[in-house]
Amino acid sequence: MKKIKTIFFGTPDFAVPSLEVLNRHPLVDLKGVVSMPDRPSGRGRQLRSPEVAQYAKENRIPLLQTSNINRETEYFKKLENERIELVIVLAFAQFLGDKLLRLPSEGCFNIHTSLLPKYRGAAPIQYALLNGDDSTGVSIQKMVKKMDAGDIAWSSTLNISEDDTGGQLYTRLKYQAALSLNDFIYGFSDNDLKFQKQDESKASFAPALKKEDGFLDFKTKTISQLKNQIRALDPWPGTYCMLNSKRIKVFEIQAEKEGPSLAPGASEVKNNKIFVGCKDGAARIGDLQIEGKQRCSDSALLNGLKEKVNINPSNQDNNR
């Protein structure tokens, strides 16, 4: 049986299950792995290899680590000589130039964790949760120069539960991506892939998240929108607001029938609970962590505070 000569491009732990699928697949001849360079990590700032590179080393797969794959002309020659058929890309963190896109005889394919053309970009998992979607999925698309815009070769859907956080959905999609890649390889081998063009009129985008995206704007958002923000940005970058000019991490808010009537952005303590006015009513901040302290309930926090509680509606620490 003729095996498909393949190179894998990836960097973080998210890509490891898909790499393992290729490494163990009966139809794949995995010729190499490309990943990002080692980087300082931890308190000692010692160099650490990305998880994909670690897997390649442990399994003795030829490995190239580079900060710019498009400048690796000697590596391109090697791939040409080996007559590479497929390049599979997942969470590689670099754009592939025209020359590389044209190099494999059957093309470069990117695994993307949304149902394209929805949520093109770096943070599709988080944006699905931010927008309260009830489903997402994995798309495998033939790469073109425009980001995430190539024809779809394979897709699969994954339901989102009301309790899914960004971290939980990340883990579920990590393995969904690997399962989809396995199916894609069989479809490719059987010449059974049905390519579908993306509808550009339906394209939406999911740009990379910043720490500031975690600020909870009680003045302009509904309780539902804030809940989605909290779960979407868990574990990174996390969500926060300002309490008594100190930043507090917020892990949960909830509507309560006994809550006071508050204007959006206003705050009040009632029955030893912290309430904040949102666009559509008051919500309790029930699970939080003030900087320098342990995570706790609002009641436990109040028991240790001697000053009046005030939620600052702006994203500013007035003492800094």
Side-chain angles (χ1 to χ4, degrees):
M1 181 184 298
K2 182 180 179 295
K3 293 188 176 184
I4 308 161
K5 294 181 179 180
T6 305
I7 300 289
F8 182 78
F9 289 55
T11 299
D13 72 293
F14 189 90
V16 171
S18 293
L19 172 55
E20 186 161 23
V21 164
L22 294 179
N23 188 38
R24 300 181 182 277
H25 205 289
L27 299 179
V28 172
D29 180 7
L30 185 59
K31 290 294 188 180
V33 169
V34 181
S35 191
M36 292 284 282
D38 295 357
R39 291 184 175 179
S41 178
R43 292 185 178 180
R45 307 304 292 164
Q46 293 183 339
L47 285 179
R48 179 181 174 85
S49 297
E51 286 84 353
V52 162
Q54 290 179 30
Y55 181 93
K57 293 173 184 177
E58 291 167 1
N59 289 272
R60 299 182 180 179
I61 305 169
L63 170 68
L64 171 69
Q65 291 182 256
T66 176
S67 59
N68 190 339
I69 183 58
N70 298 299
R71 294 180 180 176
E72 300 289 345
T73 54
E74 291 300 315
Y75 191 72
F76 288 3
K77 292 178 183 177
K78 177 184 176 183
L79 299 188
E80 288 173 346
N81 292 335
E82 291 184 342
R83 297 182 180 180
I84 296 301
E85 297 169 86
L86 275 183
V87 166
I88 302 295
V89 181
L90 176 57
F92 178 51
Q94 296 182 38
F95 286 103
L96 275 57
D98 286 339
K99 185 175 181 180
L100 182 51
L101 291 175
R102 294 193 302 265
L103 191 149
S105 61
E106 303 300 326
C108 299
F109 289 83
N110 178 61
I111 306 172
H112 188 75
T113 49
S114 78
L115 296 176
L116 292 169
K118 200 172 188 179
Y119 304 138
R120 295 175 180 175
I125 296 173
Q126 290 81 5
Y127 273 81
L129 293 172
L130 280 169
N131 291 322
D133 293 355
D134 57 14
S135 65
T136 184
V138 172
S139 301
I140 302 180
Q141 52 105 13
K142 190 169 185 178
M143 297 176 71
V144 295
K145 194 170 183 180
K146 186 175 180 180
M147 182 182 66
D148 299 331
D151 293 350
I152 305 299
W154 192 270
S155 64
S156 61
T157 300
L158 182 71
N159 291 330
I160 299 174
S161 77
E162 293 182 358
D163 298 325
D164 272 332
T165 65
Q168 291 165 342
L169 191 56
Y170 176 99
T171 300
R172 294 176 63 204
L173 282 166
K174 174 166 66 173
Y175 294 103
Q176 183 79 7
L179 293 171
S180 296
L181 178 58
N182 181 66
D183 292 339
F184 166 84
I185 292 297
Y186 279 112
F188 178 89
S189 179
D190 294 338
N191 198 27
D192 194 32
L193 297 177
K194 295 177 175 61
F195 289 84
Q196 182 177 353
K197 289 190 176 298
Q198 296 188 42
D199 186 344
E200 290 293 324
S201 69
K202 296 181 179 179
S204 59
F205 298 90
L209 295 167
K210 306 179 295 296
K211 287 185 177 181
E212 308 87 77
D213 294 325
F215 175 67
L216 296 170
D217 190 349
F218 296 101
K219 294 185 71 175
T220 63
K221 292 184 178 179
T222 65
I223 296 173
S224 177
Q225 288 173 327
L226 292 163
K227 282 185 173 182
N228 286 338
Q229 184 180 358
I230 290 168
R231 67 191 186 114
L233 305 189
D234 177 1
W236 195 92
T239 48
Y240 68 95
C241 65
M242 306 305 297
L243 184 148
N244 295 354
S245 298
K246 291 185 178 181
R247 180 181 293 223
I248 61 167
K249 294 180 181 179
V250 178
F251 300 98
E252 180 188 27
I253 67 166
Q254 58 194 46
E256 289 197 358
K257 292 182 180 180
E258 63 182 45
S261 178
L262 294 171
S267 58
E268 181 179 319
V269 172
K270 182 179 180 182
N271 297 331
N272 208 37
K273 301 174 184 178
I274 299 174
F275 291 92
V276 184
C278 306
K279 190 175 179 180
D280 62 343
R284 177 188 176 188
I285 302 180
D287 188 359
L288 47 81
Q289 182 180 9
I290 198 164
E291 54 187 350
K293 303 293 183 179
Q294 295 291 320
R295 177 174 172 174
C296 64
S297 68
D298 54 344
S299 299
L301 176 69
L302 290 168
N303 291 336
L305 282 180
K306 298 179 180 179
E307 54 193 317
K308 182 180 178 181
V309 167
N310 179 51
I311 301 292
N312 186 347
S314 70
N315 185 12
Q316 298 291 329
D317 184 338
N318 296 329
N319 292 333
R320 294 180 182 176

